[in-house]
Amino acid sequence: MDVIETKINTTSDEYRRNYESMVARVAEVKEELRKARDDRPQKAKDRIASQGKMPIREKLERLLDRNTPFLEIAPLAGRGMYDGMIHGGGLVCGVGVVCGKEVIITGNDATIKGGATYPMTMKKTLRVQTMSMQNRLPIITLIDSAGGYLPMQSEVFPDIDDGGRIFYNQSIMSKMGIPQITAVMGLCTAGGAYVPAMSDEVIHVKGIGAIFLGGPPLVKAATGEEVTAEQLGGADLHCRESGVSDYYAEDDAHAIEIIRNILYCLPLREKARLPMHEPKPPLYDPKEIYGIVSKEFKVPYDVRELIARIVDGSEFLEFKELFGPTVICGWAYIHGYPVGIIGNNGVLFPDSSMKAAQFIQLCDKRRIPLIFLQNINGFIIGREYERGGIAKHGHKMVMAQACATVPKFTVIVGASFGAGNYAMCGRAYNPRFLWMYPNAEIAVMGGEQASGVLVTLRKDQLTKEGLPPMNEEEEETIRNPIIEASKKESNALYSTSQLWDDGILDPVDTRDALGLAISASLNAPIPDDVFGYGIFRM
Amino acid sequence: MYTCREMGISTVAVYSEADRKAVHVLRADQSVFLGDSDPAESYLNIDKIIAAAKQTGAEAIHPGYGFLAENPLFAERCESERLVFIGPPSKVIRELGDKTVARRTVMGSGVAVIPGMNKPESDTRVLAGEAEKIGYPVLIKAAAGGGGKGMRVVTSPGDFNEACASATSEAKRAFSDGSIYLEKYLSRPRHIEFQIVADRQGNVVHLFERECSIQRRHQKIIEETPSPIMTPELRERMGKAAVAVAKASGYVNAGTVEFLVDQDKKFYFLEVNTRLQVEHPITEMTTGLDIVRIQLEVACGNPLPVRQEDVRGRGHAIECRIYAEDPEKGFYPSPGRIIYMEEPSGPGIRNDCGIYSGFQVPVEYDPILSKLIVYAEDRSQAIKRMIQALESYIILGVKTPVHFLIDVLKSEAFIKGDTSTDFIDTHFCGWKPDRCYADAACAAYIIDELNPAVKPKAATGQAGTEMSPWQTLGLWGR
């Protein structure tokens, strides 16, 4: 296969500027990750130690197979919200390997507000359930939760994507045959009681774990009965009398051993198979991505240079190289898996939209996973293009992409603006995994454009009302707040705190993250009997 | 690594391109990639190994059996970088590594050495004179060598010059040091070595002998303990000599003192291996001691956990080395892919195995696949147990000496204990396998093909041989 020949000059000023900027951004993200992982009050750490509980990271270390990766999901969710204390939404979630089987693991971090459920905790739980369903990955839940955070109950209880959805999903997942293994390693109160109850198998830790619909304070208030948590919902009660729990564990370590035994015995259907090649690393150093990705979106860069540092042997078969050049489509291998890659080299024109729509159909028909590398300002606008039917050509790409049944993966490697986000498989289009680069931005449009639009609207209004036009200063008072808000609310750290993505990737990790994700996605069969689309407007 | 895990010590494996999927890499707590398969870029690259240790926060380095295990520069570098080198001090490695210096040290301790020269020489005329003095047959050896490289036997003065020239050039290629020296060539000697362990407090204990006479291409393939000719009195004398050698050299950690024993049971010092030996498990089997644990304890500065009088040997242990090699073609390496394998198991059987089904045996390194060790109450039971274990050992895809080893173990000479370093040349020159094995395999294959109904589904071959990044990326993201 043809190798992508790089045209990057690693000694140029531009390369150096980009590189330094990316190094700084990666360092910033790493520092945020460190905080989310380690910054806990000593008091909280001491409390769980005195309760005989193992810290969540240690539970993970014991649960995962030795010397295997952990693909953490949304470690910075909830960053900056709720006084900045609810690191990762209070949950540690990720994909890992237990007894050779790829699984999703989700566990409460009891050093954060006793594992209480905040709105972001809810959103993250629903996200991993979705991932479990889309990829048919067994889900292991290590629960230690004080229950819903009552002062915010209106945001975690009533709506479609609130508390009830978790148990709805658990029912559907069980019906789908997705194993759900839950270890009760702390309190599971009220709604929380249903998490184990709805699971396939429950491990209950003696003296620490307790399941009840109403906790001791509520019981006392309602009936005057004085009981301890252990008497009301401990391991002995639920393993010997009620039958709510299935396995009796002496401590956290024992519970984890039991989970590993369950996984050992768990029969899993064979993974979907793709015609693989022997994996080989790219010819170019992935670290060079730092110098390739532009510091400013205004400066375009060739997405092929990125592809060359992600795919096996830097080998890439480009499709329709001479047609619709603002979108790059082609075939390659990543960690031995065949993939179809779509990347942006500019805004989408009618020809590039049709090219991408055709390429997506080819990959779908051939059961080749799709990878989207988003760096897109949107579709082309202007009278000429409207007349040429850009809307219907854009529609073809969106339709093909939305209806494709092969696994899709999205990495936002620059701008993700407007309908470009949709066509390039944004969050709403169900990519199995979606990550952002530290420099990426996501919004309906760039801050400059948005403020420009608002200024124009105001000017038109003034003209209509026969009022004098605005001066520079007045324009600025409209422009500045929009640009400020955009800076604050479209950057990668903001996006990831809102769970609009599954995490921020260090660009050097792109290839490995994709390889791990593709492997995980193959736990779900790739159906070939539902191939088809809606009506393509011609 | 098993010992470390028992002791609660985390392990870091290092690996080269060719060893990406090697067992040690998959089994360690974490692993670090060094570089290209060429040893100079990986396992012999001191800078990279030190960097790997620093990067992972390792406190000590176990050098294993090969590559840098007996390299004084490496040990010295560890010392200067404040990393614990699990082995003797660099000075001891340097002195014992130079065989002529080693000979002088040993002579000073009153242990007999094989008649020969005390320093290397390059002038052929001087060498020829020394050869006359020692008396033919003589053995030419490389001063910096080991593993049979640069070694020549010369029986008459007529062949002497040519042999010197070829030994020098081979030594130069193998060790980048062409200096050679001469020794008396002993006829049909036995190779008997003593395991020693020494601590920093100056205690030295020997853990009895191993007989490693069965060799091919000057490399051991069958080792056993105790030696069939050993008597308590001889063991006492040889053990004392081994301890004396260790003390004279200021030895610390585990090492092996090698001797040659002639037909009259006179023993001569050969060399000291300043590292853990491939064949150390047989000593562990009979003494019940974990030598790697002792190494780690000593490296921590702790005294030896045993005294000489506490060491007891019981029963008999044999080790067979299984290489990817062709016993019909001079034991030439036969690398390739292991299509399928099944390990022997049962009481008293231990297989230290570095391969699995689907594993690609790298062409770049010594193609050892596994070390099969058995233990039983006495020698004849141990031989039977080893034969049984070898017969149930299945390795498909590369040639191995398994059938050859079975024939050696079944031979009258071996059973009688009549072994010497030329055993294979004497008894098994031009060995061919019994056709029965191949014929039976063909018959089994045909029966299998004729009865597709009883064939287990996807028992071998393709299924499950593909590796996902979940197996190859180590601790990524953790």
Side-chain angles (χ1 to χ4, degrees):
Chain A
M1 238 161 101
D2 283 348
V3 166
I4 299 178
E5 269 184 53
T6 190
K7 296 185 184 68
I8 293 296
N9 174 5
T10 55
T11 56
S12 73
D13 284 351
E14 188 191 341
Y15 180 91
R16 212 196 59 242
R17 269 197 305 275
N18 291 339
Y19 197 97
E20 283 165 5
S21 156
M22 188 60 90
V23 165
R25 286 174 190 273
V26 168
E28 182 188 14
V29 171
K30 293 219 160 128
E31 173 57 16
E32 289 294 329
L33 286 169
R34 190 203 57 75
K35 274 194 243 164
R37 198 181 165 120
D38 301 332
D39 271 10
R40 301 287 183 281
Q42 189 58 40
K43 215 171 73 187
K45 289 194 229 173
D46 293 344
R47 196 185 59 240
I48 68 156
S50 73
Q51 291 168 330
K53 290 176 181 172
M54 202 184 272
I56 181 68
R57 294 282 170 182
E58 196 182 327
K59 289 179 189 171
L60 279 181
E61 283 303 310
R62 284 177 182 247
L63 185 53
L64 293 167
D65 285 0
R66 208 163 41 230
N67 204 7
T68 57
F70 184 59
L71 181 55
E72 193 165 345
I73 299 162
L76 296 179
R79 174 188 162 275
M81 301 178 187
Y82 330 115
D83 302 334
M85 298 298 288
I86 311 303
H87 303 291
L91 285 180
V92 179
C93 306
V95 184
V97 180
V98 178
C99 290
K101 292 164 180 132
E102 291 158 29
V103 297
I104 288 188
I105 301 166
T106 165
N108 295 103
D109 186 338
T111 58
I112 299 176
K113 300 280 175 197
T117 301
Y118 284 72
M120 273 301 144
T121 323
M122 190 67 71
K123 196 169 179 185
K124 192 162 165 181
T125 304
L126 292 173
R127 173 63 192 156
V128 295
Q129 285 186 328
T130 304
M131 292 174 115
S132 164
M133 285 189 274
Q134 286 177 343
N135 302 295
R136 299 243 176 174
L137 292 168
I139 188 161
I140 297 172
T141 305
L142 309 176
I143 187 162
D144 181 1
S145 170
Y149 179 62
L150 290 178
M152 300 186 89
Q153 69 82 24
S154 68
E155 290 175 55
V156 295
F157 174 69
D159 207 353
I160 181 164
D161 275 341
D162 282 347
R165 194 70 182 190
I166 291 178
F167 313 117
Y168 171 80
N169 282 347
Q170 283 195 278
S171 312
I172 302 300
M173 286 158 73
S174 189
K175 181 177 165 187
M176 288 168 77
I178 297 171
Q180 299 173 66
I181 320 284
T182 297
V184 178
M185 300 171 140
L187 295 182
C188 306
T189 315
Y194 283 100
V195 174
M198 302 290 302
S199 298
D200 291 345
E201 288 172 88
V202 178
I203 300 98
H204 202 132
V205 182
K206 176 185 82 174
I208 294 176
I211 308 174
F212 27 61
L213 295 191
L218 190 64
V219 170
K220 185 162 185 217
T223 68
E225 191 184 0
E226 280 209 36
V227 284
T228 64
E230 187 68 11
Q231 290 165 336
L232 190 61
D236 282 283
L237 178 94
H238 285 311
C239 292
R240 294 177 204 276
E241 296 176 45
S242 75
V244 170
S245 303
D246 309 306
Y247 302 90
Y248 187 97
E250 294 291 336
D251 52 24
D252 283 351
H254 184 210
I256 285 164
E257 211 176 296
I258 296 172
I259 300 174
R260 288 190 57 88
N261 286 340
I262 293 173
L263 262 291
Y264 178 77
C265 296
L266 195 67
L268 284 190
R269 70 180 86 197
E270 212 185 315
K271 285 171 67 173
R273 292 171 70 90
L274 297 175
M276 289 185 70
H277 281 195
E278 183 69 21
K280 47 186 172 184
L283 293 180
Y284 308 107
D285 185 353
K287 197 115 196 187
E288 288 171 1
I289 297 176
Y290 285 12
I292 291 165
V293 171
S294 299
K295 195 176 156 195
E296 283 121 18
F297 296 148
K298 275 178 248 168
V299 184
Y301 68 90
D302 188 352
V303 72
R304 292 184 194 90
E305 297 287 356
L306 203 60
I307 295 169
R309 284 151 185 87
I310 296 174
V311 303
D312 288 6
S314 302
E315 293 170 353
F316 187 59
L317 172 60
E318 190 167 342
F319 174 73
K320 268 186 156 65
E321 187 181 347
L322 304 177
F323 184 87
T326 59
V327 72
I328 303 299
C329 302
W331 283 281
Y333 287 83
I334 291 182
H335 274 287
Y337 298 109
V339 291
I341 299 178
I342 301 181
N344 305 114
N345 264 3
V347 295
L348 287 159
F349 284 81
D351 56 356
S352 33
S353 309
M354 286 190 284
K355 166 177 163 181
Q358 186 188 357
F359 182 74
I360 290 164
Q361 291 178 72
L362 278 170
C363 291
D364 197 24
K365 198 73 173 172
R366 295 176 186 173
R367 295 155 50 97
I368 294 175
L370 278 163
I371 289 170
F372 294 85
L373 302 175
Q374 278 200 19
N375 179 19
I376 180 79
N377 279 307
F379 284 89
I380 189 73
I381 51 170
R383 187 170 178 280
E384 182 196 342
Y385 297 103
E386 299 296 352
R387 195 174 144 271
I390 182 67
K392 73 177 186 183
H393 296 309
H395 132 91
K396 291 190 188 95
M397 181 172 173
V398 173
M399 169 87 81
Q401 185 266 103
C403 294
T405 51
V406 288
K408 298 179 287 188
F409 306 88
T410 302
V411 188
I412 302 179
V413 300
S416 178
F417 292 144
N421 166 290
Y422 304 158
M424 288 295 290
C425 199
R427 191 64 148 177
Y429 292 79
N430 275 338
R432 302 289 181 91
F433 290 80
L434 183 149
W435 297 284
M436 295 187 91
Y437 274 7
N439 65 308
E441 280 185 28
I442 180 166
V444 69
M445 59 181 82
E448 297 281 343
Q449 293 98 310
S451 60
V453 170
L454 286 176
V455 168
T456 311
L457 285 176
R458 179 70 187 146
K459 276 184 186 160
D460 291 352
Q461 202 183 2
L462 291 175
T463 319
K464 223 187 303 172
E465 291 170 9
L467 295 168
M470 294 186 287
N471 60 26
E472 258 320 276
E473 210 171 293
E474 284 168 319
E475 276 188 29
E476 289 298 301
T477 56
I478 297 182
R479 207 185 293 271
N480 285 343
I482 302 293
I483 293 176
E484 281 308 307
S486 140
K487 262 190 201 150
K488 187 169 154 276
E489 294 179 355
S490 61
N491 65 60
L493 278 170
Y494 187 81
S495 161
T496 208
S497 68
Q498 298 291 330
L499 255 165
W500 296 341
D501 55 57
D502 297 317
I504 300 177
L505 270 191
D506 180 343
V508 299
D509 288 336
T510 314
R511 163 188 161 76
D512 291 341
L514 283 168
L516 295 169
I518 295 168
S519 175
S521 77
L522 297 177
N523 284 279
I526 303 178
D528 46 12
D529 54 345
V530 294
F531 177 83
Y533 303 90
I535 308 296
F536 283 112
R537 182 176 297 277
M538 291 303 172
Chain B
M1 283 187 202
Y2 293 124
T3 302
C4 283
R5 199 151 290 135
E6 274 176 32
M7 296 175 73
I9 300 171
S10 304
T11 53
V12 181
V14 291
Y15 63 100
S16 72
E17 187 64 45
D19 277 346
R20 263 181 195 285
K21 298 173 181 179
V23 170
H24 75 278
V25 178
L26 302 176
R27 208 170 271 163
D29 291 320
Q30 54 178 307
S31 41
V32 177
F33 177 66
L34 293 178
D36 194 64
S37 309
D38 178 354
E41 289 296 314
S42 48
Y43 298 120
L44 286 178
N45 190 314
I46 294 177
D47 287 339
K48 284 189 180 176
I49 291 175
I50 298 287
K54 296 265 149 143
Q55 172 203 333
T56 54
E59 294 165 68
I61 297 182
H62 193 295
Y65 321 123
F67 296 112
L68 294 173
E70 293 182 275
N71 183 322
L73 293 175
F74 182 56
E76 205 168 82
R77 180 72 186 278
C78 290
E79 286 157 16
S80 71
E81 300 275 354
R82 301 184 160 278
L83 289 161
V84 177
F85 176 82
I86 302 172
S90 56
K91 181 172 160 289
V92 174
I93 302 180
R94 178 168 292 119
E95 286 177 7
L96 293 175
D98 185 328
K99 291 187 181 172
T100 52
V101 175
R103 279 170 67 90
R104 280 200 298 272
T105 312
V106 169
M107 284 163 82
S109 72
V111 174
V113 300
I114 302 167
M117 296 161 60
N118 281 338
K119 59 180 203 309
E121 181 56 65
S122 51
D123 187 334
T124 324
R125 270 176 306 176
V126 179
L127 283 164
E130 288 284 343
E132 288 298 333
K133 226 192 285 172
I134 295 164
Y136 285 94
V138 294
L139 187 63
I140 304 174
K141 292 176 98 175
K149 293 266 163 61
M151 218 184 256
R152 296 284 183 283
V153 178
V154 187
T155 47
S156 72
D159 303 331
F160 188 75
N161 287 355
E162 195 190 328
C164 278
S166 76
T168 305
S169 74
E170 190 173 313
K172 207 172 266 168
R173 272 200 311 279
F175 317 113
S176 52
D177 175 0
S179 55
I180 54 174
Y181 67 102
L182 301 180
E183 259 177 29
K184 171 85 183 153
Y185 179 71
L186 297 176
S187 159
R188 311 204 52 229
R190 287 167 184 268
H191 175 117
I192 296 181
E193 61 190 26
F194 271 70
Q195 175 72 52
I196 52 152
V197 285
D199 61 23
R200 291 193 200 157
Q201 290 74 10
N203 302 307
V204 184
V205 166
H206 74 82
L207 307 179
F208 308 133
E209 79 284 3
R210 292 186 287 259
E211 164 144 8
C212 316
S213 299
I214 311 290
Q215 304 186 350
R216 51 109 189 90
R217 292 155 66 97
H218 293 290
Q219 275 184 332
K220 307 157 186 171
I221 50 171
I222 300 179
E223 298 103 340
E224 61 181 313
T225 183
S227 160
I229 59 148
M230 195 51 73
T231 60
E233 181 268 332
L234 180 60
R235 179 175 294 130
E236 172 89 22
R237 283 200 292 128
M238 289 183 76
K240 276 198 175 135
V243 169
V245 168
K247 285 199 165 151
S249 61
Y251 205 87
V252 177
N253 216 295
T256 302
V257 183
E258 296 189 337
F259 298 97
L260 287 181
V261 180
D262 71 11
Q263 304 286 358
D264 309 322
K265 295 198 183 176
K266 272 170 73 182
F267 63 89
Y268 303 93
F269 169 79
L270 187 61
E271 62 181 23
V272 180
N273 282 312
T274 57
R275 56 174 159 85
L276 191 65
Q277 298 269 97
V278 174
E279 60 272 21
H280 75 276
I282 56 174
T283 299
E284 296 185 333
M285 294 297 241
T286 53
T287 59
L289 294 168
D290 180 342
I291 297 174
V292 175
R293 178 183 276 265
I294 295 175
Q295 284 196 295
L296 295 170
E297 295 282 0
V298 167
C300 292
N302 297 334
L304 287 176
V306 284
R307 288 170 304 172
Q308 189 68 57
E309 55 269 34
D310 301 332
V311 182
R312 293 270 180 281
R314 184 190 150 89
H316 199 95
I318 304 178
E319 173 182 277
C320 285
R321 299 194 195 179
I322 317 291
Y323 285 86
E325 64 184 12
D326 187 352
E328 288 180 73
K329 296 204 179 100
F331 297 93
Y332 208 75
S334 154
R337 201 168 88 100
I338 310 289
I339 298 167
Y340 181 72
M341 71 164 293
E342 234 175 82
E343 290 184 66
S345 63
I349 296 176
R350 161 175 168 184
N351 191 31
D352 289 2
C353 184
I355 55 165
Y356 49 84
S357 294
F359 179 75
Q360 183 79 34
V361 181
V363 285
E364 289 85 351
Y365 314 120
D366 193 30
I368 192 161
L369 305 178
S370 84
K371 307 186 291 184
L372 180 59
I373 301 120
V374 299
Y375 172 79
E377 273 304 299
D378 60 37
R379 186 167 189 267
S380 83
Q381 279 186 42
I383 293 174
K384 286 184 197 135
R385 184 162 282 174
M386 179 57 92
I387 292 169
Q388 185 277 121
L390 287 166
E391 283 174 344
S392 62
Y393 202 165
I394 303 171
I395 303 174
L396 300 180
V398 296
K399 300 219 164 159
T400 67
V402 167
H403 294 307
F404 174 78
L405 292 165
I406 293 171
D407 285 355
V408 169
L409 290 161
K410 283 182 173 172
S411 71
E412 206 181 318
F414 186 83
I415 291 170
K416 274 175 27 199
D418 183 11
T419 54
S420 60
T421 52
D422 59 356
F423 182 89
I424 288 174
D425 288 339
T426 312
H427 298 283
F428 285 89
C429 193
W431 174 87
K432 290 268 177 252
D434 188 340
R435 278 300 301 166
C436 282
Y437 291 125
D439 292 348
C442 287
Y445 177 76
I446 292 164
I447 291 167
D448 214 25
E449 283 301 298
L450 291 175
N451 297 299
V454 299
K455 219 155 65 179
K457 214 173 140 197
T460 58
Q462 300 309 313
T465 54
E466 290 158 358
M467 284 254 214
S468 93
W470 290 98
Q471 277 108 49
T472 57
L473 288 183
L475 285 172
W476 192 96
R478 273 169 83 172

